[in-house]
Amino acid sequence: MPVVTIKLAGNLTREQKRQIAQEVTNTLERVANKPKEYVYINFDAQPDEDWAIAGQLLDEE
Amino acid sequence: MPVVTIKLAGNLTREQKRQIAQEVTNTLERVANKPKEYVYINFDAQPDEDWAIAGQLLDEE
Amino acid sequence: MPVVTIKLAGNLTREQKRQIAQEVTNTLERVANKPKEYVYINFDAQPDEDWAIAGQLLDEE
Amino acid sequence: MPVVTIKLAGNLTREQKRQIAQEVTNTLERVANKPKEYVYINFDAQPDEDWAIAGQLLDEE
Amino acid sequence: MPVVTIKLAGNLTREQKRQIAQEVTNTLERVANKPKEYVYINFDAQPDEDWAIAGQLLDEE
Amino acid sequence: MPVVTIKLAGNLTREQKRQIAQEVTNTLERVANKPKEYVYINFDAQPDEDWAIAGQLLDEE
């Protein structure tokens, strides 16, 4: 029941997702005693144009 | 003002979305007395590669 | 793996939550063929002061 | 650290996103005293078929 | 149908929320042609202990 | 810019949050090459009554 959402700009490879999912799940199991099978992780990668920091889109110069 | 977000792996057909939207809206109207026209529903379907359970991506064997 | 988030203004009683959870889960099982035990539902009720429609907080006259 | 998520139906042009990001960031800086560089904005535009109001998908007649 | 979620650390006064809601709604109406009455805004303020940047909780020295 | 949201039932101690924030940030830095200072983490713990699995609230027998 931890539901972990990871939103980010750009892309992750399948291998990066695989490794992040594994490590984050291990962390939640070890530190918070959450049974592995209840840990849901969701990756949500979006183009730079859909993110802004400090009022500037990430693809702006 | 109930805003309902339904995130899931895989796809839903347009007909499945139509029926789920209708039933969930009815439930909120009947059980929680929310006027139908305030109920917003948002479907967010993502590929199996973007979800993990128990530390494994859904498309892993 | 459907993860359903229901955000709303005001409160729901425990009995309302119980009934909504049951009905929404049944809908997703019946219409989208999702096994019941994968359906996570999360209620997130917030005070009227934390919502606005049409630029007005819900607790404004 | 304000993280602002703007979910909507249909599309925004890059220029609309640019202007919205700028104005919303200015508002948060001016009204809430949040340093600009901590304001993250994320646009999440989805097709009409993925939204329902009052139990009807937005692309329904 | 723009649904805007503003998550932040610390608190906003009711007056700050009122003003932010008004300005953000105006921006979306003017820039994106969204009818005011469809713009939903939700504030979600959380204690510093529930946020981390760069791996440090916000209330850490 | 990874924005990581960790929603869960029950509570985490401050020390658990501190350690999870640190480990998840390290994972994203090492595996996805994200600069530490852009990684935002948000914990959102909610009472068992606000979660359901398989159509049952978590506090049900």
Side-chain angles (χ1 to χ4, degrees), chain E:
Chain E
M1 181 150 333
V3 176
V4 180
T5 307
I6 300 177
K7 297 182 78 166
L8 73 174
N11 286 301
L12 294 175
T13 65
R14 196 182 165 294
E15 177 56 25
Q16 286 174 314
K17 292 178 198 172
R18 205 194 53 76
Q19 198 173 338
I20 293 169
Q22 202 170 75
E23 296 193 15
V24 171
T25 303
N26 285 345
T27 291
L28 288 167
E29 188 189 34
R30 184 166 32 77
V31 179
N33 304 312
K34 298 292 179 184
K36 252 190 165 72
E37 61 271 22
Y38 286 115
V39 181
Y40 279 28
I41 297 185
N42 173 233
F43 295 96
D44 190 353
Q46 296 159 325
D48 282 4
E49 186 183 314
D50 285 338
W51 284 92
I53 300 185
Q56 282 214 313
L57 299 186
L58 289 200
D59 63 352
E60 289 186 84
E61 298 302 318

Side-chain angles (χ1 to χ4, degrees), chain C residues 23-38:
Chain C
E23 295 193 16
V24 171
T25 303
N26 285 346
T27 291
L28 288 167
E29 188 188 35
R30 186 167 30 78
V31 180
N33 304 313
K34 299 292 179 182
K36 252 190 163 72
E37 60 272 21
Y38 287 114

Side-chain angles (χ1 to χ4, degrees), chain F:
Chain F
M1 180 148 334
V3 176
V4 179
T5 307
I6 300 177
K7 297 181 79 166
L8 72 175
N11 287 300
L12 294 176
T13 65
R14 195 181 165 296
E15 177 55 26
Q16 286 174 315
K17 292 179 197 172
R18 205 192 55 72
Q19 198 173 340
I20 292 169
Q22 203 171 72
E23 295 193 15
V24 171
T25 302
N26 285 345
T27 291
L28 288 168
E29 187 188 36
R30 185 167 31 78
V31 179
N33 303 312
K34 299 293 178 182
K36 252 190 164 70
E37 60 271 23
Y38 287 115
V39 181
Y40 280 28
I41 296 184
N42 173 234
F43 294 96
D44 191 353
Q46 296 159 325
D48 282 3
E49 184 183 315
D50 285 338
W51 284 92
I53 301 184
Q56 282 214 312
L57 300 186
L58 288 201
D59 63 354
E60 289 186 83
E61 299 303 320

Side-chain angles (χ1 to χ4, degrees), chain D residues 2-20:
Chain D
V3 176
V4 180
T5 307
I6 300 177
K7 297 182 79 166
L8 71 175
N11 287 302
L12 294 176
T13 65
R14 196 181 164 295
E15 177 55 25
Q16 285 174 315
K17 292 178 197 172
R18 206 193 53 74
Q19 198 173 339
I20 293 169

